[in-house]
Amino acid sequence: MRQLRPSPRPVPGHVFRLIRPGLRNRRPYMGAGSPEALARKYGFSLDRLVKLDSNENPYGPSPRVLETLTRPLPYHRYPEPDSETLRHALAEYVGASPEQIVVGAGSDEVILLTFAAFLGPGTAVIELAPTFVMYRLTAEVVGARVITVPRDPATYEVDAEKVIAALGPRVKVVVFCSPNNPTGNLESERTVRQVLETGVFVIVDEAYYEYCGHTFAPLIARYPNLGVLRTFSKWAGLAGLRVGYGVFSPEVARVIAGIKPPFNVSLAGQLAALESLADREYLMSTVRKTIAERERLFRELSRFEFLRVLPSAANFIYAELRRGSSRQVTEALARQGILVRQFDIPPPRGGIRITVGRPEENERLLEALSRLEPED
Ligand SMILES: Cc1ncc(COP(=O)(O)O)c(C=O)c1O
């Protein structure tokens, strides 16, 4: 007999009142949704679905990762508690020392750990909107207030003066994202330095570093109030294995590593990240293919007069709607088996974020777009 999933029951009142007030009615992260659910919803088989909604590497992991994980590995033993071997390999990759690196279950976990170190009730973090939504959601989890400083609506650049004007005794952290998700632009070094000079803790999220080659990590030697976050989910094709890391001054890294659960990164994740670093030539060849496709896609998308396409330094492209709405276009593409991410920026029409896929996937997207005529 089929098991019916029980419908969620409300938390009994006396238990509800024990939950932290800020978390009682909070809306959780709404990601892209599982490909299985989306395939079912739009009536496609999974292998016909073109998944351009989560900024993954469409070429997958390095063959060395796949080969390593087929071997009999000691899965009955705990992994290295502080990802020691991986931290040494990362130190060489980043140009830092192993004491400066903290590894997490995806950079999502490193965001959480870093926030937990600096933020809590009575403190605030500055987000530079539009940007990656996890900063806001993670701040809510640790009980900190979020102060939003909007980016320039035409270029999505950050105005350092506005950030500095928003600082106050409660603000402990400012989060930059370079290239920024979803708008794809790099942060300016001058702006980041101006904010660093104020002494507030600055995070630069470099989840898409390998697609642009520009990093703020060397500034950590001069500014101990800087932390740089990276991930293996994008360039290395390991989104499903959950490995990310942060680079900090040794003093800050010690505090963050001290909060971390001891075995936060699985054995499979640690080994896969090590093999990815050892095979970075191969992985960078997939990155180069994506960059070439990004430039082609940018040119092709720019032909659609209902889109305003933004240049991108990442593995995705943001396009604002000039006609119709992002909801309408996202739905119409999904009905053709193509998944992109819908945003409400800029109002009222919003925009879509398109992950750069393989050439044949990008072709399907372009064909599907050419069949659309968004209307107001
Ligand atoms: C800017 C940014 N930071 C962090 C992440 C999270 O990556 P991870 O898979 O390492 O948790 C993402 C994922 O989309 C991202 O876009």
Side-chain angles (χ1 to χ4, degrees):
M1 215 177 80
R2 270 187 66 197
Q3 291 282 320
L4 288 178
R5 193 187 292 192
S7 54
R9 273 186 290 167
V11 181
H14 64 285
V15 181
F16 190 72
R17 282 190 294 278
L18 298 174
I19 296 172
R20 277 176 34 213
L23 299 182
R24 287 181 192 161
N25 295 307
R26 193 174 153 264
R27 278 194 296 163
Y29 177 60
M30 289 287 288
S34 81
E36 290 78 7
L38 291 165
R40 257 196 318 276
K41 178 171 173 196
Y42 293 105
F44 280 88
S45 63
L46 259 187
D47 56 332
R48 284 289 296 157
L49 212 57
V50 175
K51 203 174 170 311
L52 306 179
D53 60 354
S54 295
N55 301 340
E56 297 142 335
N57 181 340
Y59 302 98
S62 140
R64 283 184 60 153
V65 169
L66 298 177
E67 201 269 325
T68 299
L69 297 186
T70 60
R71 293 195 210 136
L73 293 164
Y75 289 127
H76 60 302
R77 304 281 181 215
Y78 283 103
E80 275 187 43
D82 293 316
S83 305
E84 184 80 9
T85 311
L86 176 56
R87 280 176 35 242
H88 276 81
L90 279 170
E92 185 256 323
Y93 180 60
V94 174
S97 75
E99 292 68 42
Q100 291 183 262
I101 292 168
V102 181
V103 185
S107 50
D108 282 344
E109 192 190 30
V110 190
I111 296 170
L112 175 62
L113 294 170
T114 312
F115 278 24
F118 288 95
L119 298 164
T123 66
V125 55
I126 292 182
E127 68 159 7
L128 305 161
T131 194
F132 186 45
V133 71
M134 283 304 290
Y135 313 138
R136 162 174 290 276
L137 298 180
T138 309
E140 289 170 7
V141 169
V142 299
R145 199 158 77 80
V146 180
I147 297 174
T148 301
V149 175
R151 292 164 181 267
D152 181 308
T155 61
Y156 294 110
E157 276 171 14
V158 175
D159 181 340
E161 300 303 327
K162 285 197 183 141
V163 179
I164 292 167
L167 292 174
R170 286 168 183 249
V171 178
K172 309 294 175 195
V173 178
V174 177
V175 191
F176 288 91
C177 184
S178 184
N180 185 44
N181 178 5
T183 53
N185 54 313
L186 290 172
E187 302 296 358
S188 113
E189 183 148 337
R190 189 160 169 271
T191 305
V192 175
R193 273 181 188 266
Q194 274 176 280
V195 178
L196 279 166
E197 287 289 339
T198 67
V200 70
F201 194 77
V202 171
I203 294 174
V204 182
D205 185 340
E206 295 184 354
Y208 302 95
Y209 158 67
E210 283 76 6
Y211 295 95
C212 67
H214 182 270
T215 179
F216 288 83
L219 290 181
I220 296 170
R222 171 153 183 200
Y223 296 102
N225 55 326
L226 172 63
V228 168
L229 311 187
R230 303 249 191 97
T231 180
F232 284 82
S233 295
K234 313 297 178 183
W235 73 291
L238 299 187
L241 280 172
R242 314 304 300 126
V243 191
Y245 60 99
V247 190
F248 306 94
S249 68
E251 297 73 22
V252 171
R254 197 173 313 123
V255 173
I256 295 175
I259 308 173
K260 181 185 81 55
F263 306 109
N264 59 333
V265 184
S266 71
L267 174 64
Q270 293 189 34
L271 290 176
L274 272 168
E275 291 298 328
S276 301
L277 289 175
D279 204 12
R280 71 186 85 145
E281 269 312 305
Y282 166 80
L283 287 171
M284 287 310 288
S285 74
T286 70
V287 167
R288 283 192 292 276
K289 280 197 247 184
T290 296
I291 293 173
E293 273 300 287
R294 175 183 78 202
E295 298 313 305
R296 181 179 82 87
L297 197 55
F298 176 79
R299 288 192 301 275
E300 295 293 331
L301 288 170
S302 302
R303 293 175 199 258
F304 293 94
E305 46 116 24
F306 61 88
L307 297 176
R308 178 171 103 93
V309 189
L310 307 182
S312 168
N315 67 343
F316 55 83
I317 291 180
Y318 197 71
E320 299 174 356
L321 269 293
R322 285 188 168 131
R323 248 188 303 123
S325 73
S326 59
R327 189 189 173 87
Q328 200 180 64
V329 170
T330 309
E331 279 279 320
L333 289 175
R335 281 197 292 275
Q336 298 186 60
I338 294 154
L339 306 178
V340 300
R341 192 70 74 90
Q342 180 205 326
F343 287 84
D344 298 330
I345 309 140
R349 298 171 202 284
I352 53 173
R353 192 196 64 198
I354 303 162
T355 304
V356 180
R358 293 168 179 257
E360 60 277 18
E361 295 174 318
N362 302 331
E363 272 316 304
R364 273 193 59 194
L365 166 84
L366 292 167
E367 279 163 30
L369 278 172
S370 66
R371 286 193 280 269
L372 300 188
E373 279 182 29
E375 280 174 23
D376 290 337

